Amino acid sequence: MLPAMMAAYPPGHPDHSGRDPEDAYEQELAPLIGGQLIGELLPCSTVAVDGGGAVVGGVLVNQWQDVAWVSEVFRHPDKSPPGLGARLIRHAQLRGGADGLPTMGLAVSYANPAKHVYARLGFAITDTMMTVIIDPS
């Protein structure tokens, strides 16, 4: 899963972390899947795999406070078809609805090119925030 996740956010993407893959796994992906980072991983989470069994895309949905929260959306740009992310999100929405979830939220960076996809899938802006990176020097 990590290779597809890292490939989805290459240098130049607004959500690129620049993290070492091992650190990304230990500090983000494993705790997210394990429910330690923001809350329990919900059954509506889904991944797509290629013919060889490698994960090429996914949507992780965690319980955050009282909201089903899309914590990760990713697709490997070279190993999956365009539109896969939207199809995976829609699958998560349908499964979440069948499981009785009344809403689903997500956060998106202002410069993320997928914003229009989220809007097309019914997500609406309900809040905004700003962040500053403080230079320690």
Side-chain angles (χ1 to χ4, degrees), residues 7 64 79-80 101 103 110 131 137:
W64 179 66
K79 297 182 179 182
S80 66
L101 298 175
T103 61
Y110 182 77
T131 303
S137 56

Side-chain angles (χ1 to χ4, degrees), residues 15-54:
D15 296 326
H16 175 70
S17 72
R19 256 190 215 160
D20 172 77
E22 188 173 318
D23 289 343
Y25 176 79
E26 290 176 8
Q27 296 171 12
E28 185 178 344
L29 185 58
L32 200 56
I33 291 171
Q36 294 91 24
L37 197 58
I38 63 170
E40 173 191 5
L41 185 69
L42 297 177
C44 59
S45 299
T46 187
V47 296
V49 297
D50 65 14

Side-chain angles (χ1 to χ4, degrees), residues 11-131:
H13 188 284
D15 296 326
H16 175 70
S17 72
R19 256 190 215 160
D20 172 77
E22 188 173 318
D23 289 343
Y25 176 79
E26 290 176 8
Q27 296 171 12
E28 185 178 344
L29 185 58
L32 200 56
I33 291 171
Q36 294 91 24
L37 197 58
I38 63 170
E40 173 191 5
L41 185 69
L42 297 177
C44 59
S45 299
T46 187
V47 296
V49 297
D50 65 14
V55 173
V56 296
V59 173
L60 303 181
V61 183
N62 295 77
Q63 186 68 39
W64 179 66
Q65 298 177 357
D66 292 332
V67 178
W69 194 258
V70 178
S71 54
E72 277 296 334
V73 177
F74 61 93
R75 79 166 186 88
H76 195 298
D78 300 327
K79 297 182 179 182
S80 66
L84 177 65
R87 290 192 296 271
L88 291 172
I89 292 170
R90 187 65 185 137
H91 174 83
Q93 289 174 317
L94 292 171
R95 171 70 194 269
D99 290 346
L101 298 175
T103 61
M104 189 174 284
L106 63 77
V108 60
S109 301
Y110 182 77
N112 189 321
K115 281 191 315 190
H116 72 281
V117 173
Y118 304 142
R120 191 178 77 235
L121 291 167
F123 290 93
I125 296 172
T126 59
D127 202 356
T128 59
M129 61 185 266
M130 296 174 72
T131 303

